[in-house]
Amino acid sequence: MNKYKSAMDTICDNEFAVTGAEMLGIAKSASLQGEIDTVKGVHRGRAAGKVLWIAAACMLVFGTTVSAMGYGPFGEGFRRFFGNDPVTASIIEEGHYGQIGQSVTDGIFTVDFVSVTGDAMYPKLLFDVTVNDEALTSMNSRLRLFAYVMDEDTYRDRRDQYVMWNAYGQKDPDVASLYHVCMDGPGYFLTKDGEVLASIEKISFEFPGYEEIYEYDVDMEYRFSVPDSALKETYIQYYDNMTIPGFHTDYDLYRAEFGAYDSVLVVTYDYIGTELADGRTDFEEVRNLFDSSWQDFSGHFVLSVDGEEYAPLESGWSWCDEEGTFFEPGRCSAWIRFPSIDHGSAESIKLIAGGQEYVLKQEIQ
Amino acid sequence: MSDEEFLTAYGENKNTVYSVILNYVRNADDASELTQDTFMKLYGYEGEFDSDEHIKAWLIRVAINGCKNFVRSRKHPPGSDVSYEPFSEDKYEFDEIVNKVMALPEKYRIPVHLFYYEEYSIPEIASILGLSEAAVKTRLKRGRDKLRESLRKEDWI
């Protein structure tokens, strides 16, 4: 046995000590819970938290009849496809959608950018993808679309600092070459004034058994402005004097946003100089420690709305604002999601964290 | 797959899956989670396997695809490598070979890992990674060259 194999085996045995019986139990449990279903295209998260936007993800209805291209009359067609997503369906019924109607083709793929809908926190971009290659569509493959969505300047100068948004498509039940894609997009760029660029750069096909992934580089750009009222408004509140003492650092509540899909609180914190950082100044070296600390701490938060209590849905990873675009330079932020609430009609909204109550909204009687 | 077959496959391939994922994501906790995900997929897989080697190759491909998806989902700048915190040599009494391999760029370290750990041939690595044999040869050579630059002679693989 070579030195490398021997050393690596030592690491494997020490770092991954799950027994066969334990693994079998995990697999059985996951199988029962349907957690290995990857149709949603998200990675199953452990308690440490992943960016799972399941609640906000568009859900498709199978077996419905839709027009061959596009969604037909928008409201009706959209509801047929997305009828089991009550939140988005409700948003549509309220009239929050905007048709884009741009089409780009490169021969193999024709991608129609159909419309924008959702709310200001979780905009949805709807695409129809026609695949002009029978070999790709004849098998039961899953199509996945990858796109940058940002303003032109950011795309030109800093797109390498962002990851592409991506979403799986669903085959149209009536047209074999047609896939419908509902992609979440960035609220930040889609609610700013001015033109937005959606640049589809990759289309992949994943074949059954997870073994094969074919990736196609494409270059399809759509420049558009989000139509007025296409996105349902959210309620945003900024805070500048609300500090929540955590296990290893103090968290300043920075922002709360209450939308149709969920409620998100954003906190900021310093890591440099803390005991947990232990003198380290490169956040990448301590990210996991601070994420774990935030997960442990925020997992017990409660959102109280007129006395009704909501447990958190998910806590998110940290990122740091090195350039001070949003916070003080070098300050990091983390977030936590709660269920959607009716902010407008709520008289009292409180965050209960670390045994303390923090008033987020209080109507004066 | 029966429970017995699953347990056998797990016992024979646990380190194979964990090590290739660890090489890809370079973080022990993430590797642990992705390894569990890979074996959960095996448990739920309804296809047939011709041999133990087939299971092993399937697991490696699924593991690598899972890593790719994981890196994408983690808001990691596309096209760049995941950060790496070397294993402490205080914790493991081994020479520095693992840390040196893990410090290689991804496109070199995965072929190097499969070549030295799994002892796969160049055509087998090409098949698993979806690369041409020429590309695998080039990446192996460059990876080995980089290791030679950084390893002491007595620590060579």
Side-chain angles (χ1 to χ4, degrees):
Chain A
M1 183 184 293
N2 62 51
K3 286 182 182 178
Y4 174 70
K5 184 170 173 56
S6 173
M8 182 56 85
D9 275 336
T10 302
I11 291 177
C12 291
D13 292 338
N14 283 280
E15 297 288 338
F16 188 68
V18 179
T19 66
E22 287 170 339
M23 189 63 240
L24 180 61
I26 292 167
K28 280 185 170 180
S29 173
S31 180
L32 286 172
Q33 294 170 27
E35 287 190 349
I36 59 173
D37 178 5
T38 57
V39 167
K40 292 187 178 68
V42 293
H43 187 74
R44 191 185 60 83
R46 59 167 185 253
K50 294 289 165 61
V51 184
L52 301 182
W53 300 112
I54 294 172
C58 305
M59 292 174 279
L60 287 166
V61 177
F62 293 93
T64 55
T65 56
V66 295
S67 64
M69 293 295 294
Y71 296 88
F74 187 72
E76 182 185 349
F78 185 92
R79 279 196 298 276
R80 279 205 297 272
F81 262 95
F82 297 86
N84 63 341
D85 181 344
V87 178
T88 303
S90 167
I91 289 173
I92 293 289
E93 285 163 5
E94 293 170 22
H96 296 291
Y97 60 88
Q99 299 197 48
I100 304 298
Q102 296 183 26
S103 182
V104 178
T105 185
D106 68 356
I108 300 178
F109 305 105
T110 301
V111 181
D112 298 324
F113 183 5
V114 180
S115 60
V116 177
T117 185
D119 75 359
M121 250 200 291
Y122 302 110
K124 318 287 183 201
L125 284 67
L126 300 176
F127 298 94
D128 278 353
V129 183
T130 302
V131 182
N132 305 309
D133 182 330
E134 276 191 27
L136 288 174
T137 58
S138 60
M139 295 180 68
N140 185 28
S141 56
R142 287 200 298 160
L143 175 145
R144 197 175 187 186
L145 207 62
F146 296 80
Y148 287 115
V149 183
M150 52 189 53
D151 61 38
E152 190 91 38
D153 289 346
T154 305
Y155 181 79
R156 185 183 60 238
D157 300 331
R158 299 192 303 279
R159 70 176 180 271
D160 60 346
Q161 296 174 19
Y162 293 78
V163 289
M164 285 187 272
W165 295 85
N166 70 84
Y168 287 100
Q170 299 292 347
K171 265 188 172 177
D172 189 289
D174 300 324
V175 184
S177 62
L178 181 61
Y179 294 76
H180 300 286
V181 180
C182 177
M183 181 184 288
D184 288 322
Y188 173 70
F189 287 111
L190 291 165
T191 54
K192 281 173 62 175
D193 290 336
E195 199 170 64
V196 181
L197 169 65
S199 177
I200 299 175
E201 313 225 334
K202 187 165 68 177
I203 296 175
S204 72
F205 287 85
E206 299 178 15
F207 288 90
Y210 316 103
E211 294 178 82
E212 304 290 344
I213 296 180
Y214 292 100
E215 297 184 339
Y216 291 82
D217 291 331
V218 296
D219 180 14
M220 297 176 165
E221 296 186 350
Y222 306 81
R223 288 171 177 78
F224 65 102
S225 295
V226 178
D228 289 343
S229 76
L231 304 177
K232 183 175 182 178
E233 287 185 351
T234 56
Y235 184 87
I236 302 172
Q237 176 79 47
Y238 290 91
Y239 303 86
D240 58 10
N241 191 25
M242 199 174 288
T243 299
I244 306 168
F247 293 151
H248 298 102
T249 186
D250 287 346
Y251 300 100
D252 287 345
L253 181 60
Y254 169 69
R255 183 179 197 266
E257 186 164 9
F258 301 93
Y261 296 92
D262 62 13
S263 309
V264 177
L265 307 184
V266 177
V267 299
T268 68
Y269 65 90
D270 275 329
Y271 69 94
I272 293 175
T274 60
E275 190 176 332
L276 196 58
D278 194 23
R280 288 169 287 194
T281 57
D282 181 351
F283 188 67
E284 289 303 321
E285 292 181 18
V286 297
R287 176 190 296 278
N288 288 341
L289 297 175
F290 279 89
D291 278 346
S292 294
S293 179
W294 169 245
Q295 301 289 336
D296 292 344
F297 181 56
S298 63
H300 304 289
F301 284 14
V302 170
L303 188 68
S304 173
V305 182
D306 293 335
E308 187 169 351
E309 296 190 339
Y310 297 89
L313 300 172
E314 179 189 18
S315 295
W317 285 340
S318 302
W319 66 279
C320 298
D321 191 359
E322 301 296 347
E323 296 177 0
T325 306
F326 299 97
F327 323 118
E328 294 169 41
R331 207 164 163 81
C332 300
S333 87
W335 50 265
I336 183 167
R337 286 176 58 220
F338 290 94
S340 174
I341 64 164
D342 186 350
H343 182 277
S345 64
E347 294 182 355
S348 167
I349 303 175
K350 294 174 185 172
L351 174 69
I352 302 169
Q356 299 294 313
E357 283 190 357
Y358 301 86
V359 177
L360 306 183
K361 178 185 178 184
Q362 184 66 59
E363 294 276 306
I364 299 171
Q365 299 296 315
Chain B
M1 175 170 280
S2 68
D3 289 359
E4 190 177 343
E5 289 169 333
F6 178 81
L7 287 170
T8 301
Y10 181 74
E12 291 177 351
N13 295 291
K14 177 175 84 77
N15 285 5
T16 286
V17 172
Y18 183 80
S19 63
V20 75
I21 292 174
L22 184 63
N23 259 276
Y24 204 105
V25 302
R26 302 200 293 195
N27 176 288
D29 290 339
D30 294 333
S32 175
E33 183 184 343
L34 288 164
T35 300
Q36 293 177 49
D37 283 351
T38 302
F39 280 103
M40 283 190 282
K41 285 176 179 166
L42 175 67
Y43 187 77
Y45 184 58
E46 294 178 353
E48 297 286 328
F49 293 107
D50 302 333
S51 62
D52 292 345
E53 277 303 309
H54 187 190
I55 294 177
K56 181 176 171 179
W58 184 94
L59 283 167
I60 291 173
R61 280 195 291 267
V62 170
I64 289 174
N65 285 339
C67 291
K68 288 179 180 176
N69 289 338
F70 169 79
V71 171
R72 283 181 195 129
S73 72
R74 196 169 178 176
K75 292 189 180 297
H76 192 75
S80 58
D81 209 345
V82 287
S83 59
Y84 173 51
E85 187 170 355
F87 282 102
S88 165
E89 292 184 28
D90 296 335
K91 186 175 179 183
Y92 294 109
E93 292 182 1
F94 52 71
D95 53 46
E96 58 185 341
I97 181 65
V98 169
N99 279 334
K100 293 297 183 188
V101 171
M102 298 269 278
L104 290 172
E106 176 204 311
K107 65 180 184 179
Y108 301 143
R109 72 175 180 270
I110 304 301
V112 164
H113 172 79
L114 293 175
F115 188 80
Y116 285 107
Y117 186 83
E118 298 297 344
E119 299 178 340
Y120 274 135
S121 66
I122 287 172
E124 287 172 324
I125 296 171
S127 172
I128 287 171
L129 298 181
L131 297 169
S132 68
E133 291 184 24
V136 172
K137 273 184 195 171
T138 302
R139 292 183 185 192
L140 273 176
K141 181 182 183 310
R142 289 180 182 164
R144 288 163 59 95
D145 288 348
K146 283 183 176 291
L147 287 174
R148 278 204 185 87
E149 290 168 10
S150 58
L151 278 172
R152 294 170 299 181
K153 191 176 178 182
E154 59 271 28
D155 288 333
W156 181 244
I157 293 176

